[in-house]
Amino acid sequence: MPFSPVIRLVSMCLLAALVAAWSGHARAAGEGAKAGSPAIAAAVTVESDGAKTRFKVTLSKAVTAQVSLMERPDRVIIDLPEVAFHLPQEAGRSKEGLIASYRYGLFAPGRSRVVMELTQPAMVSGMTTVPDATGAATILTIELSRAEREEFRRVAVENAAATKEASAAPVAQDTKDARPVIMIDAGHGGIDPGAAGSGNVVEKDLVLSFAQRLKKKLEEGGRYKVVMTRDQDVFVSLGDRVRAARAAQADLFISVHADSISGGQDVRGLTVYTGSERASDADSARLADRENKADAMAGVESGDMPDDVSDILMELTLRETRGFSHNFASRLVGEFDSVARLNKNPHRQARFQVLRAHDVPSVLVELGYLSSQKDLDLLMSEEWRVKMVSAMSVAVDRFFAARFARRGTAAVLP
């Protein structure tokens, strides 16, 4: 539905204020920062007109957009240079025309992405970038038109071949550094917010803050080299998280999450997961299935996950690695027992894609459920975070105690 004159005026005033604030920040940071400041997205409207739907973004400056199609589910992907989205929290949740919903966020350093879920197959029939009526902003318009299934599929296949995701850049490993390498993985990020709690709390922000705190704690004694799959609000695919751990020759991989569940306020508590082809229970299987869809949420194909076990040597390594993973999980649960509210079954197993590295002991820690107000209150508590980080640090120390006793060099496994 088009803006009314009053709403348009309010939007332009908001955009002007945002641009002014951003410009002031850039001036304070110097000319280099000013030149590299991202565009600001201050408003989005979706207009439906019969067989066509127009997606309009009001930006502080013109940007170059690239669009592509994806199937299962049907999506339109809009790739942009970095954009600072200043949109209402409810933006993208309402169905309009050919667009069932949309989400947006930082996809990679210097790159943003909008993912539109479609109500039916549609093609991008037009794209324009023009100044708005006041000349103070730019309007990027993506026009969608209904399409036949076969035509949509053909273009989606062509787009997939042309834009296949590049592997994560290898993490440099200092061969002279004999310390154990710990990879901390803050779940979700960027365009993928993860679970949501009350008070505008989202999983990606909460777990990143916790992961950064854990990294700092583990680095205090100087005994570990600690790296992170992400250290900012950016999307990282599941496959790239696994590849990063292997490229760093990590000795331990800890993925941090805080999910939500439909069971209501009564379902709560911390859980530690290890990888397995068969889930230990139905709830774990459902959680793994939901977490494994993170790539699809961000418009990334995840069919070529690394570490598909293809020979007997890899199979034997995987079995040994999972033994070490279980060992560490048990130590975590033991340390958590005195400081945290544990789930009734605190150590579970499921086929999490992010735990697929066959030669890196890996666990996924669900700190609690954002759907439980009691859990959320704990997750937001400074005192609780300090206790949890300390407990995890103790578990890590005990996991590597034998290696330190031997004073050997850092191998792949403890």
Side-chain angles (χ1 to χ4, degrees):
M1 180 179 296
F3 279 152
S4 69
V6 174
I7 295 177
R8 183 178 295 277
L9 178 60
V10 172
S11 298
M12 290 303 100
C13 291
L14 174 61
L15 178 61
L18 289 169
V19 172
W22 200 274
S23 298
H25 173 76
R27 283 193 297 271
E31 289 300 314
K34 181 177 180 180
S37 295
I40 301 170
V44 172
T45 58
V46 180
E47 303 173 356
S48 179
D49 180 17
K52 296 183 181 296
T53 299
R54 297 177 184 87
F55 179 85
K56 296 185 176 182
V57 188
T58 302
L59 297 160
S60 60
K61 61 182 178 182
V63 298
T64 301
Q66 294 182 324
V67 297
S68 57
L69 306 180
M70 295 186 73
E71 209 176 18
R72 295 191 303 270
D74 295 341
R75 286 156 289 169
V76 173
I77 312 299
I78 306 174
D79 283 310
L80 305 162
E82 185 173 348
V83 172
F85 292 94
H86 293 273
L87 304 178
Q89 185 181 7
E90 65 275 9
R93 298 181 182 180
S94 300
K95 174 183 174 182
E96 182 68 41
L98 296 168
I99 301 176
S101 64
Y102 64 87
R103 50 192 172 273
Y104 50 86
L106 195 63
F107 179 69
R111 295 171 55 198
S112 292
R113 172 171 283 192
V114 178
V115 178
M116 303 179 194
E117 300 279 355
L118 301 177
T119 59
Q120 65 182 82
M123 307 292 290
V124 176
S125 53
M127 182 167 59
T128 60
T129 302
V130 297
D132 74 334
T134 67
T138 295
I139 298 179
L140 169 65
T141 301
I142 308 291
E143 181 184 79
L144 306 179
S145 299
R146 293 176 186 170
E148 297 297 325
R149 167 59 61 188
E150 288 306 315
E151 183 183 15
F152 181 89
R153 178 172 295 136
R154 176 183 60 79
V155 175
V157 169
E158 291 175 354
N159 291 161
T163 60
K164 186 176 182 180
E165 291 296 316
S167 297
V171 179
Q173 169 74 349
D174 184 358
T175 56
K176 296 180 181 179
D177 193 338
R179 295 176 298 170
V181 178
I182 301 173
M183 177 73 78
I184 302 176
D185 172 48
H188 305 279
I191 194 172
D192 173 22
S198 61
N200 297 333
V201 175
V202 290
E203 181 180 4
K204 66 174 183 177
D205 297 333
L206 191 151
V207 299
L208 177 59
S209 174
F210 186 91
Q212 290 170 330
R213 184 186 293 263
L214 177 60
K215 179 178 185 289
K216 183 178 180 180
K217 178 66 175 179
L218 290 173
E219 289 177 332
E220 283 181 356
R223 296 199 293 174
Y224 306 108
K225 179 175 181 178
V226 187
V227 290
M228 297 179 65
T229 54
R230 68 179 183 96
D231 57 6
Q232 59 179 306
D233 183 20
V234 63
F235 174 80
V236 181
S237 73
L238 299 175
D240 283 351
R241 294 169 193 258
V242 176
R243 280 183 281 265
R246 297 204 63 220
Q249 300 179 35
D251 299 285
L252 184 62
F253 179 90
I254 305 173
S255 188
V256 184
H257 290 253
D259 201 34
S260 62
I261 197 168
S262 59
Q265 297 288 320
D266 295 333
V267 181
R268 56 181 298 235
L270 184 146
T271 310
V272 180
Y273 291 90
T274 49
S276 173
E277 297 307 304
R278 178 176 295 181
S280 56
D281 55 88
D283 287 340
S284 298
R286 283 191 289 269
L287 176 63
D289 182 62
R290 187 161 62 248
E291 293 290 354
N292 292 343
K293 292 177 179 176
D295 286 358
M297 290 285 291
V300 174
E301 295 286 3
S302 57
D304 59 341
M305 284 292 297
D307 293 321
D308 286 327
V309 177
S310 57
D311 58 44
I312 187 63
L313 181 59
M314 291 179 67
E315 173 66 26
L316 292 173
T317 302
L318 175 62
R319 290 180 185 179
E320 185 179 17
T321 299
R322 285 184 172 170
F324 285 112
S325 299
H326 282 273
N327 179 293
F328 180 63
S330 297
R331 293 181 185 277
L332 275 177
V333 170
E335 295 301 324
F336 288 152
D337 191 38
S338 61
V339 299
R341 164 68 181 264
L342 299 181
N343 188 278
K344 61 182 180 180
N345 183 10
H347 180 193
R348 304 190 184 200
Q349 302 175 54
R351 195 175 187 272
F352 289 93
Q353 296 281 25
V354 78
L355 304 182
R356 290 286 297 281
H358 74 279
D359 53 358
V360 181
S362 306
V363 299
L364 186 150
V365 180
E366 286 282 356
L367 297 173
Y369 293 103
L370 299 189
S371 48
S372 164
Q373 189 59 49
K374 291 181 179 179
D375 273 5
L376 180 56
D377 290 343
L378 286 176
L379 290 166
M380 300 299 292
S381 163
E382 178 70 15
E383 179 182 2
W384 185 87
R385 294 183 190 185
V386 169
K387 290 180 179 179
M388 289 298 298
V389 164
S390 295
M392 294 182 78
S393 178
V394 171
V396 170
D397 287 342
R398 291 181 175 176
F399 181 66
F400 288 107
R403 173 182 296 183
F404 290 133
R406 293 194 305 267
R407 298 184 181 277
T409 57
V412 173
L413 296 176

